[in-house]
Amino acid sequence: MVDVASAPKAPPNAALETAAETAAAPLPTGAGATTPPSTLRRMFRHRGLTIGAFLVGTIIFVALFAPLIVPHDPYAQDLTRRLIPPVWYEKGSWAHIFGTDNLGRDYFSRTLYGAQIALLIGFSVMIVSGFIGSALGLIAGYFGGKVDMVVTFFITTRLAMPVVLVALAVVAMIGSSLFVVIAVLGLLKWDRFAVVMRSATMQVRSQEYVSAAQAAGASTWRIVIGEILPNVMPHLIVVATVEAGSAILLEAALSFLGLGVQPPLPSWGLMISEAKNFMFFSFWLIAIPGTALALLVLGVNLLGDGLRDVFAPGGRS
Amino acid sequence: MLAFAAKRSALALLVAFAVSIIAFTLLRMSGDIAIAIAGEGARSEDIAMVREAYGLDRPLFVQYAEWLFKTLRGDLGQSIFFKTDVATLIMAKLPTTLMLGLFSIMFALALSIPLGVLAAVYAGSIIDRIALTVAVAGQALPNFFFALCLIIVFSIQLRWLPVSGSGTWKHFVMPTIALGYYVTPPIMRLVRAGMMEVLSSDYVRTARAKGLSPASVIFKHALRNALVPVVALTAVQLGFLLGGSIVIETIFALDGLGYLAYQSITHKDFPITQAVLLLLSATYVFLTLLSDLANAWLDPRIRMA
Amino acid sequence: MNFKTCSTALAVALLTATAMPAYAQKAQNTVRFAYDQVPENIDPFFNNVRIGVIIGQHVWDTLVFRDPATGEYKPNLATSWEWIDDRTLEMELREDVTFHNGDAFSADDVVFTLNYVANPDNRSVTQQNVNWIENVEKLGDYKVRITTTKTFPAAIEYLSGPVVIHPGKYYEEVGPQGMNTAAVGSGPFKVVSHDVGRQLVLERNEDYWNENKQVPNIERLIIRFIPDRQTQAAELMSDGLDFIMNVPVDQAEQMGMMPNINVKSGETMRIVFLQMNSLDNTPAEPLKNEKVRQAINHAIDRQTMVEQLVGEGARVIDVICFPAQFGCSDEEATKYEYDPEKARALLEEAGYGNGFSLDIYAYRERQQTEAMVNYLREVGIDANLRFMQYAAFRDANRAGEVAMSHQTWGSFSINDVSANTPVFYKFEADDVNRDEEVRDLLQTGDTSVAADERAEAYKKALGLISQRAYAVPMYSLTSYYATADGLEFQPYPDEIPRFWEMEWK
């Protein structure tokens, strides 16, 4: 079914191919494992990448220093000061820059803390799914043959399952919490990692330096870590950023449907869901977290795109 | 070609089986179904009776086999909440979701193909930048947020479109945009990438050199080749759309499969959840099979793999 | 889209917009109503949601009619009734009633309907409404005898509310499923079509016989199922709907300022309380201690919640019943003032000076639950919110998994304490305290025939529940209704909009 020797240019499965197409780029030429200085310089010159890095960096900074920056406790309610508009409205005040929500909590503080949750989710899911997917992809790409068949079958099966539906069902079963959401998303979203890693591994594996290492008698483990991994790393990074963004949006959707993070945690998706009741007359309550989400995912996507362009000389940029 | 088709179909079937097993096990694990079926106020004798009647005390694979045979015959069981035939319920809600999915993918194609072509033809220019920005921005906006904004603008402020329901074509405009917008970027990128590759190929350069007009070059030669992988991607995205319409259907009160699935999950109505999961997976598998076959037919090299 | 001035822009745009579409509905004499929950079956005995009760009142009739203004019981399908003994009720029936399908109403219909739904094998989901009926027999073409399972003075109340009468022959043929797809009753509206899960179209019953209700002024009532409240509001604001209920407080107040929308609020019979599991196997050990429960009673500022979160017309309650219900008295209750200091002191005394944590379950008005969680947090109790559908919560509660829950109870609009307090304190499935003394008092209240005996027993029971702090009685709820301008409408505390009374001005 899957011919190991055939170049990944014509993989036999449409889904795998298209998933790989949209995520991966042609390999960097050369057998070296380190980033040549010109790549770094290219990074700084790439406008999209710098914007993305700036956005993500700012949000990371905010998340890390939130406890020091916030003017109020994001969980402290004051029922007598509900739904105060942000400072740029007539009725707003500098005491609450972003106004207050339906329970009188300072929205600016909540938005800042929301960054922690968004990043935590994006990062954790990326790590869990990245680990699972990369391991599977590496194995499939390196060993080929029956192993590849089995892994490909896994991947195709996983692709056939609608993620949102399965996530909802599982969460409804176990009860939702931050941990459950991360676990469920992590266990579901490894497919792209697997596909790209498999594809990239197959390409690298056919390179000369790998056969040289094999001929020299190096152990499989060493070949994987020493030769393959460094060369597929760029692909991994690109996919990781895309998946992080996607995980953040998915958690927001789950929270929106009531099966994600539970209140009073200030997840941006949950904040949008809670603000739905007020969307017509207090639009800022959904606009602010919605914009924050969009900016974060935008930053992550730009970063990913930029990295892909930078790692692919003569590529699609 | 035939051998290829046969192998592909066998694989597709296998995947469908695998998914059905997963769906079945997942839901059986989620709680004691006997209690759910026996319903409110059931005494333990009632529950025991239900358990026996539905054969819930037999080993799992026996239950699975029975469920599978019934499903293949079209008997998807009874909804615990609505107390009607699952198959009937699904058939009633399916058209809405199908329409939503088709409209969304058409919208996505209508937006992404021209944008992708333009971006490729004017690669590196401001047009390309704009197209890429649209692409990137489209993927960053949470679709439920976008949907709510659409409602505020088009229904409340402008009164152009109805908010909810599925009566007329107008009811589908906003849901289509909200859903289709999200899958536009990947298609657009693929079109752009494919076009750029083809446009710089020898074949096209020769055509240009021969003096053929740019328009004819683009449309007759480049586009057709560039679109081959797009077909595959479209199929894949359609599969995603059908699975991801839950949020949109809920917001716009479109009584489709996505909303049915959501209700079934919150009501712990296992037969429906199982059936919808299986249906969506089967559709996806079928669509990818079709696109594999289409690809293989268009590009003979693939058949050899 | 200009985020900043959205609200002002919205207001301006709407003020200058023409209000055309409302005329269309007026001209057609139709009311379009939306509700969020879909009933699994519109047969009133086979669904548990409010919309089912509403549809029940519009498509069917009951034996007795309770005048909402005076509380008096008047003849309806039954012209007169008499208690022959403690457990036997004989009723004479009207002779000129016809069902929507032409069948004439007679004793057979009462006999079949009541026997069918009271039979546990038929699995009516509103057991509480029917399981007091032991048997119904026909004494004549227009006379029946109802035997109750035990002394049940509230029988008349139930027969005037949720217990409707189906056409016997038809019901026997089609059963509850058939009733769902093609409902037939004798009420002020006939069902024209039922697109399950989407909409129900009702039409005026021109031949309606009943002066208690009336032949409706409007010709058509279209009930649409729209799960999302915001979508409902959006529809109303863009003239796609004429009537919505359960509008969130904040939104209602704002919508009322729009020229094409009227907002009305009414107190309902629904009470809110925090239920605490004090049984031996409670998931939260501290709740077994009375001082802890009393501390929790002191910890929550109910008055502020009522003023800020609940709405116009709501009031703080001190006992577990609705003030207007027969038997509801707070004379012997302890009134717990909002006093976080005292709460902390009590917790300290009980040995929980460092606080403790537990799960709090809720299934509606999450905003209020979050406020409660916050108050608890301020006295050191860490309550983890678990929000879910009512059915899932109810199952967990009955399985003893729930330590604390934000509960509401509407008593099915029955105006008697027997429909309320005993549900939670008489050793039934939802009782998580099981106090024998309370149970016995409630039993006396439920089964005595003399009104003052009943009232006395209930008063004592409610007092004990309060003194022992088994729950935290919070407040009554108000319901907000929003209608298109021009629709005349009056809200009632039973949360049942009476469409047969409404008309377009």
Side-chain angles (χ1 to χ4, degrees), chain C residues 96-162:
Chain C
D96 59 350
V97 179
T98 329
F99 286 102
H100 300 147
N101 63 351
D103 285 355
F105 166 71
S106 72
D108 292 320
D109 302 304
V110 178
V111 170
F112 185 79
T113 308
L114 296 184
N115 280 334
Y116 185 88
V117 300
N119 183 349
D121 292 338
N122 291 323
R123 321 201 130 273
S124 160
V125 302
T126 54
Q127 280 298 310
Q128 192 209 1
N129 293 341
V130 298
N131 62 8
W132 54 270
I133 302 174
E134 178 161 311
N135 185 43
V136 181
E137 42 179 308
K138 172 175 174 175
L139 295 180
D141 275 342
Y142 295 99
K143 187 159 181 179
V144 293
R145 171 186 294 157
I146 301 177
T147 316
T148 62
T149 54
K150 53 191 183 204
T151 318
F152 196 65
I156 300 297
E157 177 65 32
Y158 279 88
L159 291 175
S160 72

Side-chain angles (χ1 to χ4, degrees), chain A residues 73 75-77 79-80 82-83 88-89 102-103 105 262-263 270 274 276-281 283, chain C residues 3-4 7 10 228 230 233-234 237 250-251 254-255 308-309 366-367 370-371 374-375 377 385 387:
Chain A
D73 175 0
Y75 298 97
Q77 295 179 10
L79 294 183
T80 56
R82 302 168 62 231
L83 298 172
W88 56 84
Y89 281 81
N102 56 313
L103 287 168
R105 297 177 293 204
Q262 291 295 298
L270 186 58
E274 292 177 324
K276 235 168 24 93
N277 270 353
F278 309 95
M279 74 182 205
F280 300 122
F281 301 101
F283 184 68
Chain C
F3 292 173
K4 293 184 185 187
S7 317
L10 183 55
D228 191 274
Q230 268 47 59
M237 291 194 279
D250 302 297
Q251 201 167 71
Q254 303 272 32
M255 283 210 277
Q308 303 293 338
L309 284 185
R366 198 165 77 180
Q367 182 171 269
E370 290 190 56
N374 192 54
Y375 283 118
R377 193 171 79 114
L385 177 60
F387 194 81

Side-chain angles (χ1 to χ4, degrees), chain B:
Chain B
M1 179 68 197
L2 218 53
F4 180 81
K7 267 203 240 168
R8 274 272 153 274
S9 308
L11 177 61
L13 223 58
L14 222 58
V15 171
F17 265 127
V19 175
S20 73
I21 295 183
I22 297 177
F24 183 81
T25 334
L26 205 63
L27 291 165
R28 281 285 182 272
M29 283 190 332
S30 62
D32 198 344
I33 307 197
I35 296 186
I37 298 181
E40 192 182 333
R43 306 154 288 195
S44 38
E45 313 93 70
D46 294 336
I47 301 179
M49 257 199 324
V50 166
R51 211 185 296 274
E52 219 186 287
Y54 284 76
L56 293 169
D57 41 5
R58 294 169 305 168
L60 221 55
F61 62 85
V62 172
Q63 290 186 46
Y64 170 74
E66 185 189 66
W67 174 76
L68 192 62
F69 284 133
K70 278 201 190 152
T71 305
L72 289 174
R73 282 203 309 261
D75 175 9
L76 292 166
Q78 267 239 333
S79 155
I80 298 178
F81 184 71
F82 290 104
K83 307 212 177 26
T84 51
D85 220 27
V86 172
T88 324
L89 268 176
I90 291 186
M91 289 318 274
K93 321 277 178 183
L94 190 58
T96 309
T97 304
L98 268 182
M99 274 203 288
L100 180 64
L102 280 171
F103 288 162
S104 303
I105 208 80
M106 276 166 24
F107 170 79
L109 287 173
L111 204 59
S112 55
I113 295 185
L115 266 182
V117 169
L118 277 175
V121 169
Y122 295 104
S125 74
I126 186 88
I127 298 186
D128 189 13
R129 291 242 159 275
I130 294 180
L132 281 178
T133 312
V134 165
V136 168
Q139 294 249 265
L141 211 55
N143 67 346
F144 50 93
F145 178 48
F146 188 41
L148 295 178
C149 289
L150 284 177
I151 293 182
I152 293 184
V153 174
F154 291 104
S155 290
I156 308 212
Q157 283 193 336
L158 293 172
R159 304 279 186 96
W160 285 353
L161 296 168
V163 178
S164 66
S166 48
T168 66
W169 64 267
K170 280 200 196 164
H171 287 100
F172 280 91
V173 174
M174 288 192 295
T176 302
I177 298 179
L179 202 54
Y181 187 51
Y182 194 73
V183 297
T184 306
I187 302 181
M188 195 216 86
R189 266 188 237 238
L190 200 59
V191 171
R192 176 180 176 279
M195 278 298 282
M196 280 173 57
E197 218 173 293
V198 171
L199 279 177
S200 60
S201 73
D202 291 338
Y203 177 75
V204 171
R205 267 191 248 152
T206 322
R208 274 212 187 111
K210 280 208 233 158
L212 291 175
S213 78
S216 117
V217 166
I218 294 176
F219 288 110
K220 283 213 199 132
H221 305 286
L223 197 55
R224 203 184 314 161
N225 284 308
L227 281 183
V228 169
V230 175
V231 168
L233 183 62
T234 306
V236 171
Q237 295 295 351
L238 183 56
F240 289 151
L241 273 183
L242 291 178
S245 63
I246 293 181
V247 174
I248 299 295
E249 284 185 23
T250 309
I251 296 180
F252 290 101
L254 290 169
D255 192 30
L257 222 51
Y259 184 59
L260 181 66
Y262 177 62
Q263 278 185 305
S264 73
I265 290 174
T266 48
H267 287 128
K268 300 211 194 272
D269 197 353
F270 312 119
I272 295 188
T273 317
Q274 233 164 279
V276 174
L277 219 97
L278 191 61
L279 181 63
L280 288 178
S281 307
T283 311
Y284 179 87
V285 168
F286 180 64
L287 284 173
T288 42
L289 177 65
L290 271 186
S291 64
D292 272 350
L293 293 177
N295 268 352
W297 183 60
L298 288 170
D299 185 352
R301 292 176 298 161
I302 298 180
R303 292 182 222 166
M304 301 315 184

Side-chain angles (χ1 to χ4, degrees), chain A residues 191-243:
Chain A
D191 49 287
R192 202 173 281 192
F193 281 104
V195 167
V196 171
M197 285 301 277
R198 172 180 170 274
S199 179
T201 308
M202 276 159 87
Q203 281 192 325
V204 170
R205 194 176 156 286
S206 60
Q207 298 283 328
E208 279 176 9
Y209 49 88
V210 171
S211 21
Q214 279 175 325
S219 73
T220 315
W221 199 233
R222 172 164 301 176
I223 297 183
V224 166
I225 307 266
E227 308 290 345
I228 310 235
L229 212 49
N231 283 294
V232 300
M233 201 50 92
H235 298 270
L236 197 56
I237 295 180
V238 172
V239 176
T241 50
V242 172
E243 285 303 298

Side-chain angles (χ1 to χ4, degrees), chain A residues 44 60 104 151 186 212 271 273 277-278:
Chain A
F44 282 120
I60 293 183
V151 173
M271 282 162 72
S273 167
N277 270 353
F278 309 95

